[in-house]
Amino acid sequence: MLADVARVLLSRETIRQRVAALAAEIVAAYAGRSDRLTFVPILSGSIVFLADLIREMPVHMRLALIHLSTYRGTQAGQPRVVADISHDVRGRDVIIVDDILDTGRTLTFVRDMLAERGPASVRICVLLRKPGKAPPSLHADFVGFDIEDEFVVGYGLDYNDLYRNLPYIGVLRPECIAAADVAPG
Ligand code: IMP
Ligand code: MG
């Protein structure tokens, strides 16, 4: 598996430090009302990030997992709910957590769906953000790193459901990406 990685983009230590700082930002943003927080991680990509993030946050919080499927290979697809959250988010300060903001399709879909359920607020936290593709209407409130528009794996991010367990974020060797997944042009 390690031989498939062409380049490490974000090391384990770099991620660890930024995630701790991001957790502190979130706690500060909800100072005095952090006991109403419900985190909604989008499965499966956000799990590693989420696990590290919440352990840096000494506040009362709830977790409500949502399972979506969005991707085939490296080509973006339409989000689909595989398993909805089982919690009531009415009156809660919701923070949707995802691994990466790319086109914004996934987060727009989840945000709009949860906004209809009467939460006190809905904000968005992503570990990574790619430039330029998300519409202005999709604002990420908490962002770990801005990265270039290239396909990355590790720390929860997958390629065809593989590589999520890499402890860092890296770029795959081109020969590891199936020819069928390379966009024409
Ligand atoms: P969006 O809907 O286009 O914003 O894409 C968000 C989802 O696509 C993320 O939750 C990821 O699962 C996946 N995704 C986007 N870019 C990458 C990438 O570079 N590597 C792995 N997954 C990605
Ligand atoms: Mg994915």
Side-chain angles (χ1 to χ4, degrees):
M1 178 179 74
L2 300 181
D4 297 353
V5 177
R7 184 159 56 85
V8 175
L9 189 65
L10 299 166
S11 72
R12 217 168 168 163
E13 182 56 20
T14 301
I15 297 170
R16 192 192 63 73
Q17 288 182 17
R18 181 66 192 121
V19 168
L22 199 55
E25 269 177 46
I26 294 172
V27 171
Y30 293 88
R33 59 183 176 106
S34 57
D35 55 342
R36 288 202 316 223
L37 281 174
T38 296
F39 282 79
V40 179
I42 301 178
L43 301 180
S44 305
S46 68
I47 56 166
V48 179
F49 172 41
L50 176 93
D52 284 345
L53 184 73
I54 62 174
R55 284 180 293 173
E56 297 286 347
M57 301 179 59
V59 297
H60 289 295
M61 66 169 69
R62 291 183 187 159
L63 278 186
L65 283 57
I66 187 164
H67 191 182
L68 295 190
S69 81
T70 32
Y71 247 64
R72 261 196 54 225
T74 60
Q75 302 298 302
Q78 208 38 50
R80 186 175 65 82
V81 178
V82 177
D84 201 348
I85 58 173
S86 53
H87 288 51
D88 188 356
V89 293
R90 213 165 309 151
R92 306 286 299 173
D93 286 313
V94 170
I95 302 183
I96 302 167
V97 181
D98 206 0
D99 50 2
I100 187 166
L101 169 57
D102 184 15
T103 66
R105 217 174 288 150
T106 308
L107 283 160
T108 300
F109 175 80
V110 175
R111 180 199 60 192
D112 293 351
M113 189 175 110
L114 296 180
E116 287 175 7
R117 301 180 185 178
S121 67
V122 180
R123 288 196 193 171
I124 289 173
C125 173
V126 290
L127 177 67
L128 306 176
R129 177 169 60 188
K130 288 185 181 176
K133 284 197 265 174
S137 60
L138 196 275
H139 172 70
D141 302 277
F142 306 101
V143 178
F145 301 92
D146 280 302
I147 64 167
E148 297 298 311
D149 190 8
E150 61 186 338
F151 195 78
V152 293
V153 295
Y155 199 72
L157 291 119
D158 72 301
Y159 169 63
N160 283 349
D161 228 19
L162 293 174
Y163 306 106
R164 294 194 200 275
N165 55 322
L166 280 175
Y168 49 77
I169 289 171
V171 179
L172 286 179
R173 293 187 188 284
E175 61 268 30
C176 297
I177 296 181
D181 289 328
V182 176

